[in-house]
Structures are given as structure tokens and as C-alpha cells.
């Protein structure tokens, strides 16, 4: 006779929010991407991470794929599509989990930096992975998908998306389907220092809004250069010369009288 299955811990719900960034114009290199549709670029980036597990810090690989527009209009929101976050934990990390559980369900929370010029914001890309059995050996791969926030740029220029910190919310269960002890574990992961291009995922060109030209800062011409003018000599110098001349005349008159 089978026992009743314990209630599985509820995973956080996935909410999509809107990130709005007001920024200045900046030029940046486009990330290499394969074009999957007209006006769309497909980002597929594998990044090194360092994850903190019960046994210590271990390396991990995080692969992020998403479809971005090649260009967007300032003031108009857009949303990256078909976002997938795949996390590969090494065998050492699996050993930490198999001592407590036989299966895992994961929710990923990936921080994504959105920058344009000197302005920056950060969004959270959430995804949910299907339940997976912990392998007897080798790495554990978790693939999560979900909706992500939309983005609105307030000015034209290059808008960059870069991966930041990652959190894994793990719900653990045993081989008979009951919750493990502990039933949940959060694994914090940081982008490795040697990550290529500091975790750059994609660059979207933001074009000015033709209906609102004011989205681009107005061009201000440089101030006019003032030419140096020749100034006349001070009056004090003229007076001094005249005074010397007058003194000379007086001396001449006095000398003539004595003779």
C-alpha cells in the first residue's frame, strides 16, 4: 500500500514586469548573433559562473538563449522572446543534492543588466524547469523557460543586455515522491571574473521616435570664440611723458635766465 505523497513546496510564481530606462546616446559593438527572422537577432551565450553549494563554491555553466529585436524605437516597449536559461551543475554539486534527495524542480532568477550610456537598470528573468531526477553520476542540467519583463528606452542609441547574478530555487523530493529534508534549497551563483565581454547577451539599436524628436538630446553648438582686441595704452603713461616734457622745458627756461 502506497503512502500519501507529501505536499510539494510551492515555487515562486513568475511575474513579468516592465523595466524603463532613460539614457543618453552611446555607441557600442553589436554582439555576434544569428538572425532568426527579419529584424530579429538570436542570442546564444554560454557563460562561466561560480555557485555556492553546501560543500563550497563550485564552477557551473549557464547558457542563455533569447530573441532580441535588432532595432527598436525610443519610447516603445519591446520584450525579449523565447528566453531559455540552462544551468549545468558539476558532479560535485549533484553529490551535495543526492545525499538529501532523488529529484529536483528548479526556478531560475537571472539578473540582467540593461544599460545605455551612463544610465542603467536591472531586470529579473524568471524561469521554471521541469522536474528532473538527480543523475547517479555526471553533471545535472536544468533548463528553465518563462516570461521576462519588457523594456522601454527613453532615448536613441545602443541598449545592451548583460547577464548578472543567478539564483536557483530548488524544490527537492525523495524517490518515493515525498519532500526531502530540507525540502528547499537556494543556490546563489555569481558571474565568473573571466566571463567573456562581462556577460554581454545582446545589443539593440534604439532609433529616435519620429513623432517625438525630443527623445534625442538637442545638439548645442560650441560657444563662439572671442577675438582679442588691441587695447590703447593707459592714460597714465601718456601723462607721464607729457609731464617729463614739461619738466624739461622748465629746466631750459631756468638755465637761460641765469645766463
Amino acid at each position: 500500500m502506497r503512502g500519501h505523497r507529501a505536499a510539494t513546496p510551492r515555487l515562486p510564481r513568475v511575474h513579468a514586469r516592465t523595466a524603463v530606462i532613460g539614457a543618453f546616446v552611446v555607441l557600442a559593438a553589436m554582439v555576434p548573433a544569428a538572425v532568426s527572422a527579419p529584424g530579429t537577432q538570436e542570442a546564444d551565450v554560454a557563460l562561466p559562473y561560480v555557485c555556492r553549494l553546501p560543500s563550497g563554491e563550485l564552477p557551473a555553466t549557464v547558457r542563455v538563449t533569447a530573441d532580441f529585436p535588432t532595432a527598436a524605437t525610443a519610447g516603445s516597449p519591446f520584450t525579449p522572446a523565447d528566453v531559455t536559461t540552462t544551468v549545468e551543475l558539476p558532479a560535485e554539486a549533484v553529490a551535495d543534492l543526492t545525499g538529501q534527495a532523488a529529484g529536483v524542480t528548479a526556478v531560475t532568477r537571472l539578473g540582467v543588466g540593461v544599460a545605455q550610456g551612463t544610465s542603467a537598470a536591472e531586470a529579473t528573468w524568471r524561469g521554471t524547469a521541469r522536474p528532473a531526477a538527480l543523475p547517479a553520476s555526471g553533471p545535472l542540467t536544468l533548463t528553465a523557460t518563462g516570461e521576462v519583463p519588457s523594456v522601454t528606452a527613453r532615448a536613441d542609441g545602443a541598449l545592451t543586455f548583460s547577464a548578472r547574478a543567478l539564483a536557483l530555487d530548488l524544490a527537492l523530493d525523495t524517490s518515493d515522491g515525498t519532500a526531502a529534508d530540507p525540502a528547499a534549497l537556494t543556490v546563489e551563483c555569481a558571474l565568473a571574473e573571466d566571463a567573456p565581454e562581462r556577460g554581454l547577451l545582446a545589443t539593440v539599436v534604439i532609433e529616435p521616435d519620429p513623432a517625438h524628436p525630443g527623445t534625442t538630446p538637442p545638439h548645442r553648438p560650441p560657444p563662439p570664440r572671442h577675438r582679442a582686441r588691441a587695447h590703447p595704452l593707459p592714460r597714465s603713461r601718456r601723462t607721464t611723458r607729457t609731464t617729463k616734457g614739461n619738466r624739461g622745458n622748465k629746466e631750459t627756461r631756468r638755465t637761460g635766465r641765469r645766463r
Side-chain angles (χ1 to χ4, degrees):
M1 182 174 181
R2 300 179 61 182
H4 295 286
R5 180 175 179 177
T8 303
R10 290 187 177 182
L11 298 175
R13 293 183 179 180
V14 177
H15 297 281
R17 296 183 179 179
T18 301
V20 179
I21 176 172
F24 299 98
V25 177
V26 66
L27 297 179
M30 295 292 293
V31 63
V35 177
S36 57
T40 302
Q41 56 176 326
E42 182 181 354
D44 189 345
V45 183
L47 299 170
Y49 273 76
V50 178
C51 297
R52 184 177 301 174
L53 287 108
S55 61
E57 294 185 345
L58 295 173
T61 301
V62 177
R63 181 180 178 183
V64 181
T65 60
D67 287 344
F68 293 86
T70 56
T73 303
S76 299
F78 66 90
T79 305
D82 297 332
V83 177
T84 300
T85 303
T86 302
V87 183
E88 183 179 296
L89 297 175
E92 295 83 355
V94 178
D96 283 349
L97 302 177
T98 52
Q100 310 169 26
V104 60
T105 302
V107 168
T108 59
R109 292 180 284 123
L110 176 65
V112 176
V114 186
Q116 189 181 39
T118 58
S119 297
E122 184 164 324
T124 301
W125 288 5
R126 300 176 184 268
T128 303
R130 294 181 178 180
L134 296 178
S137 62
L140 169 65
T141 302
L142 302 170
T143 301
T145 58
E147 297 180 355
V148 300
S150 61
V151 179
T152 303
R154 295 302 185 190
D156 61 315
L159 191 69
T160 61
F161 293 79
S162 301
R164 295 290 184 260
L166 171 70
L168 294 173
D169 297 321
L170 306 179
L172 306 173
D173 54 27
T174 60
S175 57
D176 60 0
T178 60
D181 186 18
L185 176 67
T186 297
V187 179
E188 302 287 347
C189 303
L191 185 68
E193 295 181 355
D194 59 347
E197 298 186 82
R198 297 182 179 181
L200 181 65
L201 300 176
T203 302
V204 178
V205 177
I206 305 300
E207 300 174 347
D209 184 359
H212 300 86
T215 54
T216 303
H219 175 70
R220 295 181 179 180
R225 297 181 179 179
H226 297 282
R227 295 182 179 179
R229 298 181 180 179
H231 297 281
L233 294 175
R235 293 185 178 182
S236 58
R237 294 184 181 181
R238 294 181 179 179
T239 305
T240 303
R241 291 180 180 178
T242 305
T243 303
K244 289 182 179 180
N246 293 339
R247 288 181 180 179
N249 294 337
K250 289 182 180 181
E251 291 294 329
T252 302
R253 290 176 184 178
R254 292 177 182 178
T255 304
R257 288 180 182 180
R258 291 180 180 179
R259 292 179 182 178

